Amino acid sequence: MATTIQPTAADPTAKVLRTPYQESVAAYWNAERDPVNLRLGEVDGLYHHHYGLGDYDPSVLEGPEDTREKRIIEEMHRLETAQADVLLDHLGAVRPEDRLLDAGSGRGGTSIMANARFGAHVDGVTISESQVAFANDRAAELGVADRVRFHFRNMLDTGFATGSRRGIWTNETTMYVDLMELFAEFSRLLEFGGRYVCITGCYNDLTGGRSKAVSRIDEHYTCNIHPRSAYFKALAANRLAPITVTDLTPATIPYWELRARSSVATGIEDPFLTAYKEGSFHYLLIAADRI
């Protein structure tokens, strides 16, 4: 049975959901039971809410028909876990005594991976109470609840202490918030020299605006995809200096091509593939240090 998690902001009377838009986003994720998230997580207990990186093994499409779908699901999950590993690779040196923040933590997969890799304390925050309960239950089942905790908090105002974080990441969550406000909060939370890592989809400024395919992605996920330039403006304004910028677009296309051939396809696969291939949408990794 899912654990009920109460709001845990620094001020217990603080309203976590500030606007009707945030309420609508929270309602979407509270109700979400998409097999593309749940079935993949059942492979090994790591539940991701992001996409994959790397070439898929073409053999998963071959062999006995009765086990084909199982092979595809397992391969998609492998690619999604590989994506989280790439993100964690860019956090730099993290010690067991350090504290990390997973902003927009979903059902907790990357937080659990971070603790397993570094031994560090990890806090995840999300405005979905159902995700918080699910992720805390998983941490308890895995025996890491003393070091991995999930909270019903707003990533724009986490309530955590200033300078308390060695590392922070967002994995496909920044399209739900104002970047200036978000990066101001991250700048406050990070210690001097701390690292922020972002993986995100962003639209290409050179196209002059959102393409039709990008607009369809916005509509599907109730989000507001930012232009690529907005990330760098907001980082610079908040003392976050990029040290690595990597275009992951070519590396994510195979994942979407495989997903389009799976039973858990949601219909959004074609807009993603169109946007990536026409160049109107980029999949970026940005690592930045707090200066």
Side-chain angles (χ1 to χ4, degrees), residues 157-177:
D157 182 16
T158 63
F160 294 121
T162 297
S164 64
R165 304 291 138 169
R166 177 61 191 170
I168 298 173
W169 68 84
T170 52
N171 200 353
E172 300 175 9
T173 61
T174 50
M175 61 286 299
Y176 288 102
V177 294

Side-chain angles (χ1 to χ4, degrees), residues 138-211:
R138 285 298 300 136
E141 290 166 5
L142 293 169
V144 296
D146 59 328
R147 298 182 77 83
V148 183
R149 295 174 181 156
F150 300 92
H151 312 265
F152 176 51
R153 300 193 189 190
N154 194 314
M155 70 171 79
L156 298 175
D157 182 16
T158 63
F160 294 121
T162 297
S164 64
R165 304 291 138 169
R166 177 61 191 170
I168 298 173
W169 68 84
T170 52
N171 200 353
E172 300 175 9
T173 61
T174 50
M175 61 286 299
Y176 288 102
V177 294
D178 178 85
L179 293 179
M180 285 291 184
E181 193 173 358
L182 181 69
F183 292 165
E185 173 69 349
F186 290 172
S187 183
R188 181 187 72 81
L189 290 170
L190 282 169
E191 63 184 48
F192 181 80
R195 175 71 55 82
Y196 166 56
V197 181
C198 170
I199 293 183
T200 189
C202 52
Y203 75 78
N204 184 357
D205 300 78
L206 295 178
T207 64
R210 291 175 181 81
S211 66

Side-chain angles (χ1 to χ4, degrees), residues 91 93-101 111-123 144 146-149 165-167 169:
L91 277 176
V94 177
R95 304 161 299 177
E97 61 267 30
D98 288 331
R99 292 191 171 273
L100 305 174
L101 176 66
S111 292
I112 290 167
M113 289 175 63
N115 170 258
R117 179 187 290 209
F118 303 117
H121 296 267
V122 185
D123 290 290
V144 296
D146 59 328
R147 298 182 77 83
V148 183
R149 295 174 181 156
R165 304 291 138 169
R166 177 61 191 170
W169 68 84

